[in-house]
Amino acid sequence: MSPTPVTFASPTKPASWSWEATNEEIAARYNVPVESIVRFDTNTSPSPPSVVAELLAAANWEVPLSEYPPSDYRRLVDAAAARYGVGRDELLVGAGADEVLDLSAKAFLLPGGAAIVPVPTYPMFGILTEQRVARVVRVPRRGADAAYALDVDAVRAAASEPDIAGGAIPGLVWLCSPNNPTGRAEPEGVVASLLEGLASDAASAGRRAPTVVLDEAYIEFAGSSLAPLRETYPRLVVLRTLSKAYAIAGLRVGFAIARRELIEDLAVYRPPGSVSIVSVEIGAALLADDRIARERVEATVAERERFAAALAAAGWLPLPSVTNFLLVEFASAVAADAAAEGLLSRGLIPRTFPAGHAFAHCLRLTVRNRAQDDRVVAAAQEIARA
Ligand SMILES: Cc1ncc(COP(=O)(O)O)c(C=O)c1O
């Protein structure tokens, strides 16, 4: 049986996409108690910061829950502008980075157009491009010895040579740093040199440079945002989220940071109230306290190194990571499938990769907390002995 836990059948799902199986589906399929299920496939956190429970208990919201959220999400925008060091008019709020990615596809991709996706990467980039009836131009990343970095020359060629792009010149480039699922950030200077190259290629061909969407969902774990590059590359959109380092994935808060003109292009497609008033209040409170993400990141990084060492001691091969997840390599896709089955039968859900994917011989595991991670380590030891 295939271990790929993607069974939820949406009547409207496009062929390219199926949602993750729910905890209940996994529990039923593997005959384990639903309370024992732990998700290692979503790169989330086992618990939100403690202040979230305090805020929910106090519940003295300034705006009652019977009203819609303010359409400008003012408190959230103010808090994000201060935290990220950008202007209020350089920010757009969305229901998670995923909604902002969706708005980016709507704003910057025309039907019949094309977008560059350096692969392997976050699958939503390809899915959203296809949903816009645009072409996905996949450009392979460099290998493990180059930390899976972007191949700058190959991306530039695909962005400027119709033969390589397979038709119209792509108007959009999707980037992700740190990248999911490789767990690595682009090496210093790589994104800047790509942007410089794209700008000069476009200028010499008399074309507008492509819009570049840089997904920084995991940036807090790995250093500084590249949002300042919008000064020199005006068509840069940087995405941030409160789902990862701030640990409130369930509240759905994400942002675009870009020059005002691009924010205006995105805002054309923005629904007025997709972020709840509870999310606005809690998101604003978390962003206002600079210790919250910092402490989370420190704890996650320490646990990541402990978890990786324990997995290695059990005979698995976790690759280096600067994020809150580990890519674990196996000898073959068959061995990765067997390990996935072993985890699933114990109620532990890994991210698997389909046959033919560059990482079909790997599993991706979220770094959670010591107790939960140790269930994976124990499973790895047992699977190795079996
Ligand atoms: C690269 C990347 N971007 C975006 C998201 C989704 O973020 P959000 O929860 O803010 O929609 C994820 C979630 O795993 C991700 O890995």
Side-chain angles (χ1 to χ4, degrees):
M1 182 171 64
S2 159
T4 311
V6 283
T7 59
F8 181 74
S10 161
T12 54
K13 86 180 175 198
S16 57
W17 179 233
S18 15
W19 304 109
E20 288 95 352
T22 62
N23 290 7
E24 288 76 11
E25 286 175 309
I26 298 286
R29 195 199 291 178
Y30 287 91
N31 197 22
V32 290
V34 74
E35 315 74 58
S36 73
I37 299 273
V38 183
R39 299 206 78 105
F40 286 86
D41 61 337
T42 47
N43 300 343
T44 48
S45 172
S47 55
S50 54
V51 66
V52 172
E54 289 160 25
L55 287 166
L56 286 170
N60 57 346
W61 312 108
E62 283 171 25
V63 183
L65 295 182
S66 55
E67 302 297 333
Y68 289 110
S71 59
D72 61 359
Y73 301 125
R74 190 187 188 99
R75 285 166 59 78
L76 194 49
V77 169
D78 285 347
R83 168 66 42 227
Y84 299 143
V86 304
R88 300 185 73 259
D89 58 357
E90 294 182 300
L91 271 170
L92 178 123
V93 174
D98 276 345
E99 186 177 63
V100 187
L101 288 169
D102 184 59
L103 300 178
S104 303
K106 287 177 174 149
F108 304 124
L109 269 176
L110 292 170
I116 293 176
V117 181
V119 289
T121 193
Y122 187 46
M124 287 307 290
F125 305 149
I127 290 164
L128 292 169
T129 303
E130 286 172 359
Q131 286 177 352
R132 304 307 298 156
V133 200
R135 250 175 333 105
V136 180
V137 182
R138 291 186 175 79
V139 178
R141 292 172 170 274
R142 300 175 66 204
D145 49 345
Y148 304 107
L150 286 173
D151 185 335
V152 171
D153 292 340
V155 173
R156 282 179 65 179
S160 54
E161 293 173 30
D163 286 352
I164 296 177
I169 296 282
L172 179 57
V173 181
W174 299 104
L175 301 182
C176 189
S177 181
N179 184 42
N180 173 7
T182 57
R184 310 293 286 269
E186 290 308 327
E188 183 83 27
V190 165
V191 173
S193 96
L194 173 63
L195 298 181
E196 211 176 293
L198 291 172
S200 82
D201 296 343
S204 48
R207 276 187 278 105
R208 188 170 85 164
T211 306
V212 175
V213 175
L214 171 60
D215 184 335
E216 291 190 335
Y218 300 96
I219 191 66
E220 289 88 348
F221 298 103
S224 308
S225 171
L226 295 180
L229 292 176
R230 71 192 182 288
E231 302 302 331
T232 48
Y233 193 86
R235 298 208 62 78
L236 178 66
V237 180
V238 172
L239 304 196
R240 304 290 297 267
T241 179
L242 301 192
S243 294
K244 307 300 179 185
Y246 288 86
I248 54 166
L251 289 176
R252 313 303 301 125
V253 183
F255 303 93
I257 298 171
R259 286 193 178 206
R260 187 170 51 80
E261 311 81 82
L262 269 68
I263 294 294
E264 284 170 2
D265 290 345
L266 287 167
V268 169
Y269 297 92
R270 179 174 77 80
S274 60
V275 180
S276 82
I277 201 158
V278 176
S279 306
V280 168
E281 292 294 324
I282 293 178
L286 296 189
L287 284 164
D289 185 343
D290 72 344
R291 286 167 310 174
I292 289 177
R294 196 165 9 103
E295 286 171 6
R296 252 324 134 123
V297 167
E298 278 168 16
T300 304
V301 167
E303 174 57 15
R304 181 185 70 213
E305 297 311 307
R306 189 199 72 84
F307 187 25
L311 287 175
W316 284 12
L317 185 59
L319 302 181
S321 166
V322 297
T323 63
N324 68 338
F325 58 86
L326 293 167
L327 191 64
V328 182
E329 200 169 37
F330 293 84
S332 65
V334 172
D337 274 5
E341 282 295 312
L343 292 174
L344 285 160
S345 66
R346 293 166 173 83
L348 308 168
I349 310 179
R351 169 68 75 207
T352 55
F353 300 95
H357 189 285
F359 293 139
H361 63 298
C362 298
L363 299 179
R364 200 195 67 203
L365 297 173
T366 305
V367 176
R368 295 185 63 94
N369 61 28
R370 191 180 184 110
Q372 294 180 340
D373 296 343
D374 277 348
R375 284 183 58 194
V376 175
V377 174
Q381 290 162 345
E382 286 165 19
I383 293 164
R385 279 198 298 270

